[in-house]
Amino acid sequence: MGKQVLSFGEVLWDAFGEEKMAGGAPMNVARHLVQQGVDTLFASRIGTDASGYDLAGFLKNNGLYSDLIQHDKELPTCEVTVQLDDHGHATYIIPQPVSWDNIKADDKLLDAAKATDVIVFGSLAARDKTTRDTLHTLLDESDAIKVFDVNLRAPHYELSTLELFAAKADIIKMNEDEANLLIGSSNGDALQTKIIEFQKTYHNDTIVITRGGDGAIVWHDEKLYEHAGVPVNAVDTVGAGDSFLATFIAGLLDERPIPEILDRACKVGAYVATQRGANPVYPEGLL
């Protein structure tokens, strides 16, 4: 029997002007895991409105709908306004509260967390107390490998919450800006030195820092690994980090060597950056 991943958190509509695309980092990670053949469950909460109905259909079409998708009769389904700059980098206007702020720790979700091999979670869904408490419960009740995708969206986080989740994570993934916030200003120290200091504080097994077009750096099993990145002409960066993380997790589950995992993750992330949206279909030969 293969390993299973439970991805937990927000699902939403990303609105690019008149165009809407289904999104949310945990959902994107789940979709990329499915595309890479990993047995994946997705847990979230949607509204009972038209947007929620459409999202339910989208999740069903992509193999991600189950009884772990809760329905909220009060709070709306989330619709995020996405703004892209001249370099394809996105900023997000995220309403609050929305349905995924109210994910409950019901028996189905607890049972799934206890039975799975990996739990992937981010910081955005933990912005409000209900979902944050649910996430803490799942992590405390499960023996799964915990993967924290830092994924900051200002102003929807507090440093104290990030530190609590960082301490519970076996694997933590962040970009350079997020690393600077969590690890602290460099004070002239190299990023590699700061990563080691961070690990001594939080005792993570694996620390992954993505660097956009400059690749990524990984601390794993007392060693540092670096990848210079794959040069591409980016269309938009939405979902690139999510695809990187999914590929990294899939590689760990396949017990591939870290340099190979890092190379594959950088290639997939770079490809996604050349495509519109977070979840393009992979071309033959990408993996």
Side-chain angles (χ1 to χ4, degrees):
M1 183 177 174
K3 297 290 181 71
Q4 185 185 72
V5 177
L6 169 62
S7 190
F8 172 95
E10 68 271 13
V11 64
L12 48 89
W13 289 110
D14 280 324
F16 299 81
E18 295 298 312
E19 183 183 13
K20 290 201 306 185
M21 303 179 85
M27 193 280 290
N28 293 338
V29 171
R31 279 193 75 192
H32 283 282
L33 285 166
V34 167
Q35 196 170 176
Q36 296 186 33
V38 178
D39 180 12
T40 306
L41 296 172
F42 177 57
S44 189
R45 192 173 180 98
I46 56 179
T48 53
D49 46 20
S51 288
Y53 179 83
D54 290 344
L55 262 186
F58 172 86
L59 293 171
K60 288 172 184 175
N61 290 337
N62 286 275
L64 293 175
Y65 189 88
S66 72
D67 53 11
L68 301 182
I69 303 299
Q70 302 173 7
H71 296 261
D72 200 296
K73 294 180 179 179
E74 303 295 331
L75 294 172
T77 302
C78 183
E79 296 196 19
V80 170
T81 301
V82 183
Q83 298 170 326
L84 299 174
D85 67 16
D86 293 340
H87 304 287
H89 296 291
T91 54
Y92 306 87
I93 301 171
I94 307 171
Q96 185 178 10
V98 292
S99 51
W100 49 256
D101 287 312
N102 197 35
I103 303 173
K104 303 293 179 63
D106 61 20
D107 289 342
K108 294 170 184 175
L109 186 49
L110 280 169
D111 288 346
K114 291 175 182 176
T116 199
D117 298 287
V118 179
I119 298 176
V120 183
F121 63 97
S123 51
L124 180 56
R127 66 182 181 175
D128 273 3
K129 186 178 188 304
T130 301
T131 300
R132 182 168 64 247
D133 288 350
T134 294
L135 180 53
H136 278 301
T137 300
L138 299 185
L139 298 178
D140 292 343
E141 293 284 331
S142 177
D143 294 326
I145 297 168
K146 284 92 173 176
V147 182
F148 181 22
D149 180 14
V150 177
N151 198 32
L152 299 186
R153 298 286 181 261
H156 303 282
Y157 62 86
E158 293 181 2
L159 188 56
S160 58
T161 299
L162 301 178
E163 291 170 341
L164 279 174
F165 284 121
K168 291 186 177 185
D170 300 296
I171 300 169
I172 185 167
K173 174 248 171 193
M174 45 195 160
N175 64 30
E176 279 191 289
D177 290 338
E178 292 158 349
N180 286 333
L181 177 71
L182 269 176
I183 296 175
S185 57
S186 63
N187 295 323
D189 292 333
L191 182 59
Q192 293 87 337
T193 303
K194 295 197 297 177
I195 290 170
I196 293 168
E197 291 173 358
F198 183 88
Q199 197 280 330
K200 288 177 180 175
T201 301
Y202 294 102
H203 309 291
N204 314 101
D205 295 330
T206 307
I207 298 168
V208 182
I209 298 179
T210 57
R211 311 171 86 173
D214 296 324
I217 181 168
V218 173
W219 186 97
H220 177 79
D221 197 19
E222 305 291 335
K223 291 182 181 177
L224 281 163
Y225 303 84
E226 294 191 54
H227 193 288
V230 179
V232 294
N233 293 317
V235 172
D236 76 55
T237 59
V238 178
D242 304 329
S243 67
F244 177 102
L245 180 59
T247 309
F248 195 88
I249 292 167
L252 288 177
L253 293 177
D254 284 344
E255 299 181 353
R256 297 176 184 272
I258 293 294
E260 181 183 338
I261 294 173
L262 195 49
D263 185 60
R264 289 161 66 94
C266 285
K267 285 179 179 175
V268 172
Y271 171 73
V272 171
T274 68
Q275 305 298 303
R276 187 76 192 278
N279 295 285
V281 176
Y282 302 159
E284 281 191 39
L286 180 62
L287 288 171

